[in-house]
Amino acid sequence: MIKLFHAPGACSMSVHVALLEAGADFEPIAVDLKNGAQHSPEYLRINPQGRVPTLVTDDGTLTEVPAILNWIAQTYPQAQLAPQGDGFALAQMQSFNLFLSSTVHIAFAHLFRPERWADGDAAKDDLGARTPVNLALNFAMIEQRLADGRAWVMGAQYSVADAYLYVFSRWLERDGAGGSANLPLTVAHRSRMQERPAVQAMLAAEGLPPL
Ligand SMILES: N[C@@H](CCC(=O)N[C@@H](CS)C(=O)NCC(=O)O)C(=O)O
């Protein structure tokens, strides 16, 4: 059976949602990030990067959210979680997910984990102070994408990109991230996500409130 190593509220919630949307048979295993369980020898044997999510499948172990999300979409095609039979549209979805992974996630990390980039307190504070500035730029592009009235990142079709965007749409409300007051389309997308049974099931399982 598939095993999902995850942490409540972390970026792994996108994978959690996608597995539920796919109807996959999987076991969620919570990793206690606050107490450093991701650095334990047992966990590092599964994922040497010491991060969540990690997905253990019959074919092997996968890390990195965009890769895991694409694997779920390809493995459960009946769930229609990615464009099918259209390589360009699939590349567009991957492009969006990689933007979230390489740019948006990192902008948040400058606030949540500044010690990765700086030692001194002033430098760490400077990094965190840039987060709302960078997120405003990043989410302006996301608002632009949603501005044609589309319900989902890829248009009319829901995809794993929506589950991934939901993570960062939630994180906007964390202290120091800048909030979502100027992001009405992102907030509406978040509300649509929270109407989905899979998202409601993920929130219940991870002990999180809807926002
Ligand atoms: N690029 C990785 C990032 C994974 C990542 O940073 N996960 C965070 C949670 S959102 C984590 O495990 N943090 C624990 C730590 O940094 O010690 C991915 O997309 O999967």
Side-chain angles (χ1 to χ4, degrees):
M1 193 204 295
I2 292 169
K3 288 183 182 165
L4 168 63
F5 291 88
H6 75 112
C11 55
S12 49
M13 80 167 71
S14 58
V15 175
H16 200 169
V17 169
L19 288 168
L20 290 165
E21 299 272 12
D25 191 16
F26 71 102
E27 179 189 1
I29 300 168
V31 179
D32 186 354
L33 298 184
K34 290 196 178 79
N35 286 313
Q38 70 274 34
H39 306 303
S40 70
E42 298 76 30
Y43 189 69
L44 290 174
R45 269 195 291 279
I46 300 164
N47 180 350
Q49 297 172 53
R51 304 277 180 93
V52 294
T54 305
L55 199 73
V56 179
T57 78
D58 288 346
D59 293 330
T61 297
L62 285 172
T63 61
E64 299 299 325
V65 171
I68 298 174
L69 290 176
N70 192 39
W71 180 85
I72 294 169
Q74 303 308 319
T75 305
Y76 300 90
Q78 74 288 350
Q80 299 193 27
L81 295 173
Q84 289 171 324
D86 182 344
F88 186 76
L90 179 60
Q92 285 181 311
M93 186 196 83
Q94 290 293 79
S95 169
F96 185 82
N97 283 346
L98 289 162
F99 165 67
L100 293 181
S101 163
S102 65
T103 304
V104 176
H105 193 158
I106 300 307
F108 279 105
H110 287 162
L111 175 69
F112 300 154
R113 305 243 180 217
E115 68 279 3
R116 285 201 189 127
W117 291 276
D119 289 320
D121 287 344
K124 287 182 195 167
D125 289 348
D126 279 350
L127 276 172
R130 284 297 301 180
T131 291
V133 178
N134 287 327
L135 289 177
L137 293 170
N138 298 161
F139 272 87
M141 283 186 268
I142 293 169
E143 289 279 305
Q144 185 65 37
R145 187 182 185 102
L146 298 173
D148 61 4
R150 64 182 61 199
W152 306 116
V153 168
M154 291 303 293
Q157 188 195 341
Y158 176 83
S159 74
V160 289
D162 296 290
Y164 200 16
L165 175 56
Y166 180 67
V167 171
F168 304 110
S169 168
R170 287 184 65 95
W171 286 8
L172 283 171
E173 309 305 342
R174 293 195 183 176
D175 283 351
S180 55
N182 298 320
L183 303 171
L185 302 177
T186 301
V187 170
H189 178 271
R190 187 201 292 164
S191 298
R192 277 193 293 282
M193 286 298 293
Q194 290 171 169
E195 288 167 10
R196 298 184 72 85
V199 175
Q200 292 167 5
M202 178 280 292
L203 292 174
E206 298 200 5
L208 301 169
L211 295 183

